[in-house]
PDB file of all heavy atoms in Angstrom:
ATOM      1  N   ASP A 350     -14.202 -20.131 -40.775  1.00 51.00           N
ATOM      2  CA  ASP A 350     -14.105 -18.969 -41.557  1.00 51.00           C
ATOM      3  C   ASP A 350     -13.191 -19.089 -42.766  1.00 51.00           C
ATOM      4  O   ASP A 350     -13.050 -18.147 -43.466  1.00 51.00           O
ATOM      5  CB  ASP A 350     -13.660 -17.761 -40.680  1.00 51.00           C
ATOM      6  CG  ASP A 350     -12.141 -17.684 -40.714  1.00 51.00           C
ATOM      7  OD1 ASP A 350     -11.518 -18.662 -40.458  1.00 51.00           O
ATOM      8  OD2 ASP A 350     -11.683 -16.575 -40.995  1.00 51.00           O
ATOM      9  N   GLY A 351     -12.540 -20.204 -42.882  1.00 65.00           N
ATOM     10  CA  GLY A 351     -11.765 -20.490 -44.065  1.00 65.00           C
ATOM     11  C   GLY A 351     -10.274 -20.233 -43.863  1.00 65.00           C
ATOM     12  O   GLY A 351      -9.474 -20.805 -44.576  1.00 65.00           O
ATOM     13  N   ARG A 352      -9.856 -19.501 -42.916  1.00 91.00           N
ATOM     14  CA  ARG A 352      -8.464 -19.205 -42.717  1.00 91.00           C
ATOM     15  C   ARG A 352      -7.878 -19.806 -41.471  1.00 91.00           C
ATOM     16  O   ARG A 352      -6.738 -20.227 -41.439  1.00 91.00           O
ATOM     17  CB  ARG A 352      -8.201 -17.698 -42.569  1.00 91.00           C
ATOM     18  CG  ARG A 352      -8.064 -17.066 -43.965  1.00 91.00           C
ATOM     19  CD  ARG A 352      -7.598 -15.595 -43.777  1.00 91.00           C
ATOM     20  NE  ARG A 352      -6.165 -15.578 -43.520  1.00 91.00           N
ATOM     21  CZ  ARG A 352      -5.489 -14.476 -43.078  1.00 91.00           C
ATOM     22  NH1 ARG A 352      -6.174 -13.405 -42.735  1.00 91.00           N
ATOM     23  NH2 ARG A 352      -4.165 -14.459 -42.988  1.00 91.00           N
ATOM     24  N   ILE A 353      -8.624 -19.837 -40.390  1.00 95.00           N
ATOM     25  CA  ILE A 353      -8.070 -20.323 -39.145  1.00 95.00           C
ATOM     26  C   ILE A 353      -9.109 -21.067 -38.302  1.00 95.00           C
ATOM     27  O   ILE A 353     -10.263 -20.602 -38.267  1.00 95.00           O
ATOM     28  CB  ILE A 353      -7.359 -19.199 -38.325  1.00 95.00           C
ATOM     29  CG1 ILE A 353      -6.555 -19.725 -37.219  1.00 95.00           C
ATOM     30  CG2 ILE A 353      -8.406 -18.196 -37.821  1.00 95.00           C
ATOM     31  CD1 ILE A 353      -5.630 -18.663 -36.589  1.00 95.00           C
ATOM     32  N   SER A 354      -8.738 -22.136 -37.727  1.00 95.00           N
ATOM     33  CA  SER A 354      -9.639 -22.862 -36.862  1.00 95.00           C
ATOM     34  C   SER A 354      -8.832 -23.360 -35.647  1.00 95.00           C
ATOM     35  O   SER A 354      -7.652 -23.672 -35.767  1.00 95.00           O
ATOM     36  CB  SER A 354     -10.221 -24.079 -37.518  1.00 95.00           C
ATOM     37  OG  SER A 354     -11.137 -23.671 -38.529  1.00 95.00           O
ATOM     38  N   PHE A 355      -9.525 -23.538 -34.517  1.00 97.00           N
ATOM     39  CA  PHE A 355      -8.869 -24.088 -33.363  1.00 97.00           C
ATOM     40  C   PHE A 355      -9.630 -25.353 -32.888  1.00 97.00           C
ATOM     41  O   PHE A 355     -10.821 -25.356 -32.882  1.00 97.00           O
ATOM     42  CB  PHE A 355      -8.815 -23.043 -32.216  1.00 97.00           C
ATOM     43  CG  PHE A 355      -7.929 -21.890 -32.571  1.00 97.00           C
ATOM     44  CD1 PHE A 355      -8.438 -20.619 -32.995  1.00 97.00           C
ATOM     45  CD2 PHE A 355      -6.536 -22.001 -32.576  1.00 97.00           C
ATOM     46  CE1 PHE A 355      -7.644 -19.569 -33.312  1.00 97.00           C
ATOM     47  CE2 PHE A 355      -5.732 -20.969 -32.901  1.00 97.00           C
ATOM     48  CZ  PHE A 355      -6.254 -19.665 -33.307  1.00 97.00           C
ATOM     49  N   ILE A 356      -8.875 -26.352 -32.510  1.00 97.00           N
ATOM     50  CA  ILE A 356      -9.436 -27.589 -32.081  1.00 97.00           C
ATOM     51  C   ILE A 356      -8.933 -27.902 -30.656  1.00 97.00           C
ATOM     52  O   ILE A 356      -7.713 -27.894 -30.425  1.00 97.00           O
ATOM     53  CB  ILE A 356      -8.973 -28.744 -33.013  1.00 97.00           C
ATOM     54  CG1 ILE A 356      -9.287 -28.530 -34.419  1.00 97.00           C
ATOM     55  CG2 ILE A 356      -9.606 -30.045 -32.486  1.00 97.00           C
ATOM     56  CD1 ILE A 356      -8.824 -29.640 -35.334  1.00 97.00           C
ATOM     57  N   GLN A 357      -9.828 -28.253 -29.799  1.00 97.00           N
ATOM     58  CA  GLN A 357      -9.435 -28.725 -28.490  1.00 97.00           C
ATOM     59  C   GLN A 357      -9.077 -30.168 -28.545  1.00 97.00           C
ATOM     60  O   GLN A 357      -9.945 -31.015 -28.892  1.00 97.00           O
ATOM     61  CB  GLN A 357     -10.486 -28.461 -27.447  1.00 97.00           C
ATOM     62  CG  GLN A 357      -9.990 -28.781 -26.061  1.00 97.00           C
ATOM     63  CD  GLN A 357     -11.002 -28.795 -24.975  1.00 97.00           C
ATOM     64  OE1 GLN A 357     -12.184 -28.414 -25.238  1.00 97.00           O
ATOM     65  NE2 GLN A 357     -10.676 -29.141 -23.780  1.00 97.00           N
ATOM     66  N   GLY A 358      -7.911 -30.537 -28.239  1.00 97.00           N
ATOM     67  CA  GLY A 358      -7.525 -31.983 -28.236  1.00 97.00           C
ATOM     68  C   GLY A 358      -6.041 -32.139 -27.941  1.00 97.00           C
ATOM     69  O   GLY A 358      -5.269 -31.150 -27.935  1.00 97.00           O
ATOM     70  N   ASP A 359      -5.657 -33.360 -27.667  1.00 96.00           N
ATOM     71  CA  ASP A 359      -4.343 -33.746 -27.301  1.00 96.00           C
ATOM     72  C   ASP A 359      -3.549 -33.921 -28.634  1.00 96.00           C
ATOM     73  O   ASP A 359      -3.716 -34.947 -29.316  1.00 96.00           O
ATOM     74  CB  ASP A 359      -4.373 -34.959 -26.467  1.00 96.00           C
ATOM     75  CG  ASP A 359      -3.039 -35.322 -25.828  1.00 96.00           C
ATOM     76  OD1 ASP A 359      -2.092 -34.518 -25.930  1.00 96.00           O
ATOM     77  OD2 ASP A 359      -2.973 -36.448 -25.254  1.00 96.00           O
ATOM     78  N   LEU A 360      -2.647 -33.043 -28.933  1.00 97.00           N
ATOM     79  CA  LEU A 360      -1.830 -33.082 -30.170  1.00 97.00           C
ATOM     80  C   LEU A 360      -2.754 -33.303 -31.439  1.00 97.00           C
ATOM     81  O   LEU A 360      -3.531 -32.428 -31.783  1.00 97.00           O
ATOM     82  CB  LEU A 360      -0.723 -34.089 -30.118  1.00 97.00           C
ATOM     83  CG  LEU A 360       0.350 -33.767 -29.046  1.00 97.00           C
ATOM     84  CD1 LEU A 360       1.435 -34.826 -29.068  1.00 97.00           C
ATOM     85  CD2 LEU A 360       1.010 -32.392 -29.295  1.00 97.00           C
ATOM     86  N   PHE A 361      -2.580 -34.488 -32.041  1.00 97.00           N
ATOM     87  CA  PHE A 361      -3.325 -34.663 -33.320  1.00 97.00           C
ATOM     88  C   PHE A 361      -4.805 -35.180 -33.134  1.00 97.00           C
ATOM     89  O   PHE A 361      -5.546 -35.339 -34.185  1.00 97.00           O
ATOM     90  CB  PHE A 361      -2.577 -35.743 -34.205  1.00 97.00           C
ATOM     91  CG  PHE A 361      -1.173 -35.233 -34.580  1.00 97.00           C
ATOM     92  CD1 PHE A 361      -0.079 -35.572 -33.864  1.00 97.00           C
ATOM     93  CD2 PHE A 361      -1.039 -34.432 -35.671  1.00 97.00           C
ATOM     94  CE1 PHE A 361       1.194 -35.169 -34.269  1.00 97.00           C
ATOM     95  CE2 PHE A 361       0.201 -33.978 -36.099  1.00 97.00           C
ATOM     96  CZ  PHE A 361       1.352 -34.374 -35.394  1.00 97.00           C
ATOM     97  N   GLU A 362      -5.154 -35.432 -31.953  1.00 95.00           N
ATOM     98  CA  GLU A 362      -6.498 -35.919 -31.635  1.00 95.00           C
ATOM     99  C   GLU A 362      -7.472 -34.996 -32.302  1.00 95.00           C
ATOM    100  O   GLU A 362      -7.392 -33.751 -32.198  1.00 95.00           O
ATOM    101  CB  GLU A 362      -6.696 -35.887 -30.127  1.00 95.00           C
ATOM    102  CG  GLU A 362      -7.941 -36.532 -29.649  1.00 95.00           C
ATOM    103  CD  GLU A 362      -8.226 -36.232 -28.129  1.00 95.00           C
ATOM    104  OE1 GLU A 362      -7.465 -35.460 -27.538  1.00 95.00           O
ATOM    105  OE2 GLU A 362      -9.203 -36.686 -27.660  1.00 95.00           O
ATOM    106  N   LYS A 363      -8.383 -35.499 -33.091  1.00 94.00           N
ATOM    107  CA  LYS A 363      -9.460 -34.775 -33.813  1.00 94.00           C
ATOM    108  C   LYS A 363      -9.000 -33.935 -34.980  1.00 94.00           C
ATOM    109  O   LYS A 363      -9.717 -33.211 -35.647  1.00 94.00           O
ATOM    110  CB  LYS A 363     -10.185 -33.833 -32.801  1.00 94.00           C
ATOM    111  CG  LYS A 363     -10.850 -34.517 -31.633  1.00 94.00           C
ATOM    112  CD  LYS A 363     -11.856 -33.581 -31.037  1.00 94.00           C
ATOM    113  CE  LYS A 363     -12.184 -33.974 -29.598  1.00 94.00           C
ATOM    114  NZ  LYS A 363     -12.300 -32.856 -28.744  1.00 94.00           N
ATOM    115  N   VAL A 364      -7.688 -34.003 -35.243  1.00 97.00           N
ATOM    116  CA  VAL A 364      -7.170 -33.338 -36.461  1.00 97.00           C
ATOM    117  C   VAL A 364      -7.417 -34.243 -37.702  1.00 97.00           C
ATOM    118  O   VAL A 364      -7.176 -35.460 -37.615  1.00 97.00           O
ATOM    119  CB  VAL A 364      -5.661 -32.985 -36.390  1.00 97.00           C
ATOM    120  CG1 VAL A 364      -5.154 -32.383 -37.636  1.00 97.00           C
ATOM    121  CG2 VAL A 364      -5.435 -32.104 -35.179  1.00 97.00           C
TER     122      VAL A 364
END
Side-chain angles (χ1 to χ4, degrees):
D350 89 308
R352 273 191 83 195
I353 191 164
S354 293
F355 293 105
I356 304 177
Q357 187 190 356
D359 188 8
L360 293 182
F361 296 95
E362 189 192 1
K363 301 197 201 141
V364 175

